[in-house]
Amino acid sequence: MAQPLIDLRLCADGAELARTAAEEFSRRAEDAIHARKRCTVALSGGSTPRRLFALLADGREPFRDRIDWRAVHLFWGDERHVPPDHPESNFRMTRETLLDAVPIPAENIHRIRGEEPDAARAAALYEDELRAFFSGSPRFDLVLLGLGPDAHTASLFPGTDAVRERERWVVAPWVEKLAAFRITLTPAVLNRAATVIFLVQGEEKAGALRAVFEGEREGERDPDRWPAQVIRPESGEVLWLVDRAAASGLEKRSGS
Ligand code: 6PG
C-alpha cells in the first residue's frame, strides 16, 4: 500500500494554527464543491478546534463567505456520551462556535446521538446514517483530528479495541480513564479520507507528538500505545498543523 503523503506545518502559536487551518478548510471545501458539488467533513471535538470554528464563522474574516455552506455536510469524528446541550458535548461546542453563525441547512448537520442511553446503539445508528449517506465507501473530503496527551485521536484511546477496528465504521468504546463511553469513527472510515488534518496545540501535547513521529521514523509503529499512528489514509494525505509549543519535543531537522 502506498505511503500516505504526510506533511507537518509549524505554526508560531494557536492563532496562526487556527488561521492556517481555516485557509486549508476553505480551500478544500471550495475544491470539493467545485469537483463534486458537495463537501463532506468529519469534525474533531475537544478544545483545539474552537478557534478555527470561530474564524470560519466570523463575517469579518474571508472564510465564511468563501464556502458554499449549502453544499457542506458536517459529521463528527467522535462524541461524548452526553446530550447535545451538555457542556461536554462536541456538538454543543460546534453549535456555539460555528453552526449558529453559518448558513448551513439543518439537514446537512449529521450529529452523533450522544443522548442515546445505550452508547453501542448510538454508534450503530450513526453507522447506519453514514452507510445511507455514503452508499458504499465512506470517503470524507476532510477529516479534522486532535491529539490527546496520551496520543489518542478522535476517541481511539490507547489499549482499546477501537484502535484496531477494521470492519465497523462507528464503535462505542468504554474508556477506563474517563470512566465513560465515547462514540467514535474507526480507522476503517478515517483512513478512507481524502485529507486528514491534525490540529495540535500546546506543550502538553509535545510528548505524544514526539512519540507518534519518532515511532514512525524509527519504524516502531505501535498504534495500541500511540493511537494517532493508526491514521494512514489509503489514498489520501495527512497534514499536521502544529504550534511551536507542541513541536518542542520534535527533533530539530537540518534547515528547520
Ligand atoms: C474529543 C476529541 C479528542 C480531542 C483530543 C484533544 O472529543 O475530546 O475528539 O480526540 O481531539 O482529546 O483535545 P483538546 O483539543 O481539547 O486538547
Side-chain angles (χ1 to χ4, degrees), residues 151 175 241:
V175 183
L241 296 180

Side-chain angles (χ1 to χ4, degrees), residues 111 113 116 118-131 170:
R111 74 176 180 84
R113 304 214 168 268
E116 175 63 46
D118 175 357
R121 180 167 155 68
L125 288 171
Y126 206 54
E127 177 151 346
D128 291 347
E129 182 164 357
L130 286 171
R131 285 186 184 276
V170 190

Side-chain angles (χ1 to χ4, degrees), residues 73-140:
H73 284 264
L74 295 179
F75 295 78
W76 278 260
D78 69 327
E79 184 57 283
R80 290 81 183 277
H81 194 210
V82 294
D85 56 358
H86 189 283
E88 285 182 29
S89 162
N90 286 337
F91 171 75
R92 176 176 166 176
M93 179 274 286
T94 314
R95 183 176 53 69
E96 290 172 349
T97 54
L98 177 66
L99 303 180
D100 287 348
V102 295
I104 185 167
E107 61 272 24
N108 290 18
I109 299 172
H110 309 267
R111 74 176 180 84
I112 296 174
R113 304 214 168 268
E115 70 273 24
E116 175 63 46
D118 175 357
R121 180 167 155 68
L125 288 171
Y126 206 54
E127 177 151 346
D128 291 347
E129 182 164 357
L130 286 171
R131 285 186 184 276
F133 182 87
F134 282 108
S135 58
S137 180
R139 185 169 172 79
F140 281 101

Side-chain angles (χ1 to χ4, degrees), residues 44-49 78-80 90 145-148 152-155 182 204-205:
S44 56
S47 56
T48 306
D78 69 327
E79 184 57 283
R80 290 81 183 277
N90 286 337
L145 290 174
L147 184 74
H152 80 260
T153 192
S155 281
R182 286 281 186 98
E204 72 277 11
K205 308 294 176 69

Side-chain angles (χ1 to χ4, degrees), residues 28 47 83 131 165 178 187 218 235:
R28 285 180 171 77
S47 56
R131 285 186 184 276
E165 181 62 49
L178 303 175
E218 279 139 28
S235 58

Side-chain angles (χ1 to χ4, degrees), residues 147-148 150-166 186-187 191 198 208 211-216 219-232:
L147 184 74
D150 60 359
H152 80 260
T153 192
S155 281
L156 305 175
F157 282 83
T160 61
D161 294 344
V163 176
R164 279 180 260 105
E165 181 62 49
R166 293 295 178 275
T186 68
N191 282 333
F198 279 94
V212 168
F213 273 79
E214 308 268 312
E216 286 284 355
E220 287 160 16
R221 291 184 63 238
D222 184 358
D224 284 319
R225 203 160 159 221
W226 319 110
Q229 287 180 335
V230 81
I231 303 301
R232 309 186 82 158

